[in-house]
Amino acid sequence: MADSYQQLKEQVLQARDSGHKLNIVGGDSKAFMGRDAAPDAATLNVGEHTGIVEYHPVELVLTVRAGTSLSEIEATLAEQGQCLHFEPPHFGAASTIGGTLACNLSGPGRPWAGSVRDQVLGIRLLNGKGEHLRFGGQVMKNVAGYDVSRLHAGALGTLGLITEISMKVMPKPAASLTLVQDMGMDEVIHYMNSRAAEPKPITAACWVDGKVYLRLSGAKSAVEATAGKWSGEVMEQGDQFWQQVQDMQHEFFAGNDVPLWRFSVGSTAATPKLEGNWFIDWAGSQRWFRGAGELKDLEPAARAAGGQVSLFRGGDRSGEVMHHQPDALKAIQRRLKNAFDPDNIFNPGRLYSWL
């Protein structure tokens, strides 16, 4: 596999010498995210840079190459009764762990289990100079220096090519069930936040189509005791429902004819009054909106709710798709880009037009 590292490094150095740009691709399952890729950029394929480097089930630590599929990782962990606690969405069989980190994608349990960013212990990275760098480590108690590893979560590959990732894994819960009941959108925010504040084994909470869903996971005795006290009917296909939510295969997300917007807001904030349909997740912190509109018109509603909005899928991707950033943050992001990728080789303009 050393040849794989060397091939990637040579491609980066060739691009730098020739002045060409590179579009990083792993499983190509997330091509719809971010702005349109630069039309003149060559493809830098990480999809064949695969394999588990180290796995220590007792230590709950896994190190994998960035092109490794989520399916392969989860199958290996399942043999030991373990899982990726942040529940990464699968947008296809080829979805990779590197793309998941680059896009900072986490599933329905994110407020309780943490995000992919929270699980990362360290990474290896090819920067724009062709240098193969290592940040962080492979142990949970590594706290030395700047936390550069997590800086790459959500950067969409604009800061460099992630080649290897070390992360925490967790045991699968002993028991899990889902409670469902009818509830209006106006009252569900208070309800979900109230339930989330209780010291109970809640691990997911969402609302869609007039119904609220609460998932309980953990020790069987605690799950059953909580279900006996809380209202709602036990959902027979609860695990299947949450898998659909995790992979964005629920019917709410079907089709690309109407843009899909992601609001990341305060969990207790009122839902913006917009013409369209809503899917409320993460007990109110993440709200998906299906409706026409422009980013500049939706940003005030997101700010009023204490957060930001981005165009997740569909719509016009030639313009900005991420929430406007103040000048101070733009300056920091440009300095980081210049430090990691001074010749602007990696995914130019994919995150912002100015980056």
Side-chain angles (χ1 to χ4, degrees):
M1 190 56 67
D3 289 344
S4 176
Y5 286 108
Q6 188 61 33
Q7 288 172 5
L8 293 172
K9 180 176 181 178
E10 288 176 358
Q11 283 185 266
V12 173
L13 291 174
Q14 288 172 6
R16 188 186 189 203
D17 292 341
S18 63
H20 291 158
K21 308 302 181 183
L22 294 174
N23 178 38
I24 302 172
V25 175
D28 203 27
S29 64
K30 305 173 188 66
F32 63 87
M33 294 188 65
R35 300 178 69 248
D36 291 335
D40 58 341
T43 298
L44 180 58
N45 192 343
V46 197
E48 296 183 2
H49 186 66
T50 64
I52 294 174
V53 179
E54 289 186 80
Y55 175 35
H56 303 288
V58 175
E59 300 294 332
L60 299 174
V61 173
L62 172 75
T63 299
V64 293
R65 297 183 181 93
T68 310
S69 70
L70 295 174
S71 298
E72 179 183 347
I73 294 171
E74 289 174 340
T76 300
L77 295 178
E79 293 175 358
Q80 301 294 328
Q82 296 177 352
C83 64
L84 296 174
H85 213 205
F86 57 91
E87 299 177 305
H90 294 229
F91 294 119
S95 290
T96 66
I97 188 64
T100 299
L101 175 59
C103 296
N104 197 23
L105 295 170
S106 304
R110 190 259 181 262
W112 297 273
S115 67
V116 58
R117 179 180 180 274
D118 299 318
Q119 312 303 320
V120 171
L121 300 171
I123 65 170
R124 294 191 72 188
L125 175 90
L126 273 170
N127 67 7
K129 299 177 183 178
E131 299 170 329
H132 206 188
L133 309 176
R134 185 187 298 274
F135 299 104
Q138 296 175 314
V139 294
M140 295 190 190
K141 294 183 179 180
N142 189 329
V143 294
Y146 293 104
D147 198 354
V148 176
S149 302
R150 298 182 182 185
L151 180 67
H152 293 265
L156 295 187
T158 57
L159 298 180
L161 172 64
I162 300 170
T163 61
E164 195 173 288
I165 303 168
S166 296
M167 61 178 57
K168 297 179 285 185
V169 298
M170 294 294 287
K172 286 187 173 182
S176 181
L177 63 79
T178 298
L179 298 174
V180 57
Q181 61 180 309
D182 294 331
M183 190 169 294
M185 188 169 67
D186 292 339
E187 57 183 315
V188 76
I189 296 298
H190 174 74
Y191 174 77
M192 289 195 296
N193 277 274
S194 297
R195 287 299 191 220
E198 297 184 41
K200 303 296 183 182
I202 182 171
T203 58
C206 75
W207 176 94
V208 64
D209 295 334
K211 294 183 181 293
V212 59
Y213 302 81
L214 302 182
R215 183 178 66 187
L216 304 172
S217 304
K220 185 177 181 181
S221 58
V223 168
E224 292 179 346
T226 303
K229 294 179 181 179
W230 285 4
S231 58
E233 298 181 0
V234 176
M235 189 178 184
E236 291 186 5
Q237 302 295 326
D239 290 345
Q240 180 180 346
F241 170 80
W242 290 111
Q243 190 65 56
Q244 291 177 337
V245 174
Q246 175 181 331
D247 295 339
M248 299 184 72
Q249 294 298 312
H250 186 277
E251 60 183 3
F252 175 88
F253 301 106
N256 294 317
D257 52 328
V258 179
L260 176 64
W261 302 87
R262 178 180 181 266
F263 281 77
S264 180
V265 297
S267 64
T268 60
T271 301
K273 302 296 183 182
L274 300 172
E275 291 294 328
N277 297 319
W278 289 93
F279 187 114
I280 302 175
D281 201 3
W282 296 0
S285 295
Q286 177 172 257
R287 308 189 197 184
W288 298 102
F289 173 64
R290 298 300 298 261
E294 295 186 20
L295 185 63
K296 62 181 179 62
D297 298 324
L298 299 181
E299 286 184 347
R303 283 195 293 268
Q308 300 188 355
V309 60
S310 60
L311 178 59
F312 189 82
R313 190 174 63 201
D316 179 14
R317 315 202 72 80
S318 62
E320 301 294 354
V321 299
M322 299 293 180
H323 196 100
H324 174 78
Q325 298 298 315
D327 291 341
L329 285 181
K330 283 184 179 181
I332 293 174
Q333 288 177 312
R334 285 183 173 125
R335 288 169 62 188
L336 285 169
K337 175 70 170 176
N338 186 61
F340 283 98
D341 183 20
D343 297 302
N344 196 26
I345 295 172
F346 298 116
N347 290 2
R350 191 70 185 273
L351 189 61
Y352 297 102
S353 62
W354 43 266
L355 195 65

